[in-house]
Amino acid sequence: MPKVTVDGQEIEVPNGATVLQACELAGKEIPRFCYHERLSIAGNCRMCLVEVKPGPPKPQASCALPATEGQEIRTDSEMVKTAREGVMEFLLINHPLDCPICDQGGECDLQDQAMMYGRGGSRYEENKRAVTSKNMGPLIKTIMTRCIHCTRCVRFSEEIAGVDEIGALYRGEDMQITTYLEQAAKHELSANVIDLCPVGALTSGPYAYESRPWELKKTLGIDVSDAVGANIRIDSRGREVLRVLPRDNDEVNEEWISDKARYQVDGLTRRRLDKPFIRKRGKLQAASWGEAFKAIAKAKPGKSIAAIAGDMVDCETMFAAKALLEAAGSKLIESRQTGMDYDVSNLAAVNFNSSFVGIEDAGAILIIGSHIRWEAPLVNVRIRKAAKRGAKVFVVGPEWDTTYPAEFLGNDLGVLNKLPASVTDTFKGAEKSAVILGAAGFAAGAHEAALAVTSKLKAEFNALHTAAARMGALMLGFAQKGGIADIVKAKPKVVLALGADEVDWSLFDGSLKVYLGHHGDKGAHAADVILPAAAYTEKPGTYVNTEGRVQMSDKAIFAPGDAREDWTILRALADALGVSVGFDSFAELRAAMTAEVPALSNEGEIADYGALPAAPKAAKATGTIDAYPITDFYLTNPIARASTVMQECSAELLHGDELKEAAE
Amino acid sequence: MAGRHIAPDTPELRERWGGWTFTDANREKADWHIKKYPEGRQKSAVMPLLDLAQRQVGEETDTQGWLPLPVIEYIAEYLDMPVIRVLEVATFYMMYNLVPVGKFHVQVCGTTPCMLRGSDEIIAACKARGMKFGEVSEDGLWTLTEVECMGNCATAPMVQINDGNYEDLNVERLHAVLDALAAGEQPKEGTQEPGRHTSEPSGGPTTLKEMVDANHDYRSNW
């Protein structure tokens, strides 16, 4: 632990810290462009210059200089100020005076730091350099004349995303950042380079010229596009969500989010259910709330009512539905829409027990039936980190493009019964190891076999869900022993679909199907009564991610038209059905919910599900995994399916080659 | 430097160079270069491999050679590295030609010492022979490029033509060199100044004069 002096203040810094980090620890702000905590050190912008003794009598780049015992660092001397001003002047030589028309304006590192270190005017009289803008796909808009060559985007795609596609061509003044032959950046985290770009060279395509940052209301939210529960900031203006940005949370999403989480929000204004509908003579017709409730009450469900929760609903909605059903005397609640019926008697057996941070330390990882890049891109980032630290990764299931070396063991689940020696030896040699069971593994019924393999390999068991609502639903008991089939068998008079779009509704022909949700998607098409509800940005809610972490999201905007927050609809429905649910406000609802499931009140904490159950001895893996449930990363949920940006991504990034061929 | 660009990715380019591979001799050389580095570090051999590829393309087209995109992709695949990383290297170094060049790639140094010693006339003379910057002359023989310092300041001005340097030039001497090359002869490389061997002071040595013909022990003079 070296001791250094920063501007006369002596502090102790951790081993291996850089001078820049030492200055930060001492509370000094160091300007920087190329340095980023989560990327490798490049040291090419020279903005972080400080004066260091002992050392050469010139300013030094603090980001690339290790802090050593007895260093005297000055960040406030005249030399430092002049040096930084010099660097800034050089950076601004070729930087256009675009600020008034630049989307980065107001949140631009260069703009902010130019306020501190910039000269009033330019002394450069020659022509500025101009660079043609590059195509990087539908999400990233480029204005490359603004680029200051920090190479953060290059390092991100190489180090974090693991997809080497952005590079710096040519040299010196002619250096240009581009993708190979200007192909679109084709990975699920591509838009994170927009946040990383310290200037306006890479900006958000769909958000171009939409708004200024100071006009936006910023709400802390949780992403529901996958089960990672990425922490997001919802930026809204008036009644519209304009963009979503990641928030820092080292335990969940670090500071990245997937492109889907970021760009599905334009779907929030399209195909919305903004008034109640009732199916009359086979056609859905707009109705009033009163008529809709009357139509449901007319079915006289009594005890014969069921609820199926969708993939994006919050715990409060599910609890309200559960309370309603319990008041009516029914226990028919289920959340696994596609009919899966794995055992949920012990939640530890359906949880990501290693935790996202913990999986980075695993030395051996066996993935069973999961296309992790599409099911949880941010978990893939963690596994890539583990692989870079030397972890061996094995996958059972069809091949997909991993961003790290991985060995595919074939599609046949039978391989779990007798794993090859190379796998078992790797697991034996690893200090910490993990088995990850994904959506395709669950669907193929490999849950018990996976648990058995986990105990045989002495690894940690991890379930990787794809639905943001799944863990919360299971904690609230939204599961029948036989899955959806049990509910079909019970032939309920009324089925409440809480944003459930993936259910095979033809099984419920005899029931009155009430769809409570926000998008006119598959669920609404099949419904008899539609009750318009709020999307995840339009209601406060609790979500539990796949590692059992309880997180809360705030309400950013109001739901459109006549749509209401889900719990109020269920509360009103209780009145219509003549039952009492026992809460009249959101606070009372949350209190009742946490009284029943206390873990849901520990925001930010991982719920404790106790020990893993003993593995069923006789479990034998059979069958094959022929495909993964997610066939199109960009169109997995009703919001994304309604989003033109996501449709464009799907068409261009996933099916672009087919389109090109068709055109030729 | 300015104007350096990658040859456009056209169907004609793909047709001409798609499926390009090393010759057996070059593959042997490439593997020899790769073996110089530890296992898993084969990427380190990217520069010699690009050079080999450029020379092979040169032999096939009877020019100095260049690097078409399919060739760059082949190298990337050969070294199991992302093609953008190979392209970064190829675009960074001036010695890799990104567009077709002539049989003789005349690279005139225009940096300060050469400029003071008359590189402007050299360039003018080249242009008078029909060469243009960055273009292949009509007869397919010449491509002219202005480059930065080649490290021959003591014998300025100079041009580098393919693998040879021709120094101490004036317009006359330049024409002699170019005429010889055009006639298929190999002119003497290095300094073109009569009586000068390499980069010793022009007009004969000014120090250590006794050492010119044989070794001489100066220690007694100290």
Side-chain angles (χ1 to χ4, degrees), chain A residues 203-524:
Chain A
T203 54
S204 174
Y207 173 73
Y209 307 127
E210 284 282 343
S211 181
R212 284 298 189 188
W214 55 84
E215 299 170 334
L216 300 170
K217 189 180 99 181
K218 294 150 183 89
T219 313
L220 307 186
I222 299 296
D223 172 51
V224 296
S225 66
D226 56 31
V228 174
N231 292 199
I232 53 172
R233 195 184 89 193
I234 303 160
D235 282 3
S236 57
R237 190 182 57 194
R239 296 193 72 160
E240 194 180 351
V241 173
L242 289 179
R243 64 172 179 180
V244 158
L245 295 178
R247 269 189 289 146
D248 259 26
N249 188 337
D250 280 343
E251 288 164 319
V252 184
N253 57 321
E254 299 176 270
E255 59 176 285
W256 324 120
I257 51 172
S258 72
D259 289 354
K260 186 166 47 180
R262 190 185 297 260
Y263 285 120
Q264 69 175 4
V265 289
D266 77 312
L268 289 170
T269 56
R270 295 188 169 83
R271 288 197 210 159
R272 282 305 295 266
L273 300 172
D274 56 358
K275 45 179 154 324
F277 287 87
I278 302 173
R279 193 177 292 275
K280 284 180 188 155
R281 285 185 291 298
K283 264 193 166 165
L284 283 167
Q285 284 170 3
S288 70
W289 277 105
E291 288 163 355
F293 285 137
K294 216 183 277 170
I296 302 168
K298 217 172 76 186
K300 291 208 180 65
K303 270 195 215 174
S304 184
I305 179 167
I308 300 171
D311 289 348
M312 301 195 293
V313 287
D314 53 313
C315 292
E316 282 81 356
T317 303
M318 289 186 281
F319 180 78
K322 186 185 174 191
L324 172 70
L325 262 65
E326 270 174 4
S330 163
K331 281 194 181 323
L332 293 171
I333 49 177
E334 176 56 66
S335 62
R336 296 162 297 178
Q337 296 186 65
T338 49
M340 291 187 281
D341 58 354
Y342 47 84
D343 179 25
V344 294
S345 52
N346 184 331
L347 288 184
V350 289
N351 185 43
F352 200 93
N353 296 304
S354 296
S355 82
F356 297 156
V357 178
I359 197 86
E360 288 178 17
D361 302 324
I365 300 171
L366 173 65
I367 299 167
I368 304 169
S370 182
H371 186 324
I372 297 194
R373 249 182 98 173
W374 279 7
E375 286 171 23
L378 295 166
V379 175
N380 199 51
V381 167
R382 303 277 189 174
I383 297 176
R384 178 173 153 77
K385 271 197 206 170
K388 276 172 101 175
R389 288 178 192 172
K392 289 249 166 44
V393 183
F394 305 95
V395 189
V396 181
E399 293 203 14
W400 46 281
D401 186 13
T402 55
T403 53
Y404 36 82
E407 191 185 321
F408 284 85
L409 304 173
N411 298 0
D412 188 2
L413 281 166
V415 75
L416 296 178
N417 299 328
K418 199 175 179 326
L419 283 168
S422 63
V423 180
T424 47
D425 289 350
T426 314
F427 271 77
K428 232 175 260 168
E431 209 167 284
K432 193 179 149 124
S433 54
V435 172
I436 299 175
L437 180 66
F442 273 116
H447 187 217
E448 291 196 339
L451 284 169
V453 160
T454 310
S455 89
K456 222 186 315 175
L457 292 172
K458 297 194 175 59
E460 282 172 350
F461 180 78
N462 297 295
L464 187 63
H465 299 293
T466 49
R470 184 74 79 245
M471 279 315 284
L474 296 180
M475 284 168 83
L476 289 166
F478 267 69
Q480 302 291 315
K481 199 157 187 309
I484 291 267
D486 279 10
I487 297 191
V488 175
K489 223 183 290 163
K491 290 206 169 66
K493 281 190 192 157
V494 172
V495 186
L496 283 179
L498 309 171
D501 286 288
E502 323 295 337
V503 181
D504 179 5
W505 289 110
S506 63
L507 300 171
F508 293 94
D509 271 346
S511 313
L512 181 78
K513 296 177 280 287
V514 179
Y515 183 78
L516 190 145
H518 40 81
H519 272 80
D521 207 282
K522 296 175 204 165

Side-chain angles (χ1 to χ4, degrees), chain A residues 154 157-158 164-172 174 178-181, chain B residues 1 4-6 9 14 69 73 82-85 87-88 91-92 98:
Chain A
V154 179
S157 59
E158 180 181 346
D164 287 83
E165 51 185 18
I166 304 181
L169 302 191
Y170 309 104
R171 66 192 288 181
D174 296 321
T178 181
T179 50
Y180 184 62
L181 299 179
Chain B
M1 185 82 201
R4 196 167 152 81
H5 65 278
I6 303 165
D9 185 27
R14 293 278 162 193
L69 285 171
E73 284 162 12
V83 62
I84 185 81
R85 296 280 101 85
L87 193 64
E88 279 181 334
T91 53
F92 187 87
L98 301 175

